[in-house]
Amino acid sequence: MDDKKHHLIQQYFDDFTDAFASFDGQRVAAKFSFPYMAKSAGEDRLVFHTERELGEYFQRYLDEYRQQGCRQCRYSNLTVAWIGSDCAVASVDWTLTDGGGQEIMSWSESYTLLFREGRALAFVSVDHP
């Protein structure tokens, strides 16, 4: 598919790790389109209608991760499946690490992305083991 859009997907995840490192839920929420639906590894499915609402949700997780000693996150194993020319499903493995680079936790997640105004935004994500 389009190299420019593939670059936008990679940029999405690079920017996501920078936003995460700020531990600012609103900055992370800016990476999403609304309404946005998240499905955890269990049965939980959540729908967020505003960036503010999602930012508050992310802030709770960021605060918890920081208390657990997390200082950064990184992604690996990026794979992309195109859905037409305007959307893609991008899957990554996430690893949260402490200040010394030691793993605190990891999981895999897939994001359905759309392209708007020269950038990728997620509107669905699914956590998976």
Side-chain angles (χ1 to χ4, degrees):
M1 188 50 68
D2 185 331
D3 284 343
K4 181 178 180 184
K5 287 183 180 171
H6 195 277
H7 175 74
L8 291 175
I9 292 171
Q10 195 162 14
Q11 185 177 17
Y12 175 87
F13 290 104
D14 291 342
D15 291 347
F16 194 102
T17 60
D18 289 343
F20 182 97
S22 75
F23 285 88
D24 180 344
Q26 288 305 130
R27 188 167 166 201
V28 175
K31 306 295 300 165
F32 296 83
S33 173
F34 299 92
Y36 160 69
M37 185 179 76
K39 185 194 175 300
S40 68
E43 294 293 320
D44 295 336
R45 290 177 307 277
L46 300 168
V47 176
F48 300 91
H49 296 281
T50 67
E51 190 173 311
R52 180 173 182 242
E53 180 183 16
L54 182 59
E56 291 169 357
Y57 170 81
F58 278 131
Q59 193 63 56
R60 288 190 296 275
Y61 275 98
L62 290 166
D63 291 345
E64 182 180 319
Y65 294 153
R66 182 178 269 168
Q67 288 177 349
Q68 293 174 12
C70 177
R71 295 299 173 259
Q72 63 182 3
C73 74
R74 64 177 180 261
Y75 70 93
S76 59
N77 302 321
L78 172 63
T79 60
V80 178
W82 295 97
I83 306 171
S85 62
D86 293 336
C87 292
V89 175
S91 298
V92 295
D93 295 330
W94 287 111
T95 303
L96 304 186
T97 61
D98 65 15
Q102 294 297 311
E103 181 179 320
I104 294 173
M105 71 174 58
S106 63
W107 71 96
S108 299
E109 193 161 355
S110 295
Y111 298 80
T112 304
L113 302 167
L114 59 85
F115 301 94
R116 182 183 298 152
E117 298 173 7
R119 65 187 193 131
L121 296 169
F123 63 95
V124 174
S125 67
V126 178
D127 290 358
H128 43 94

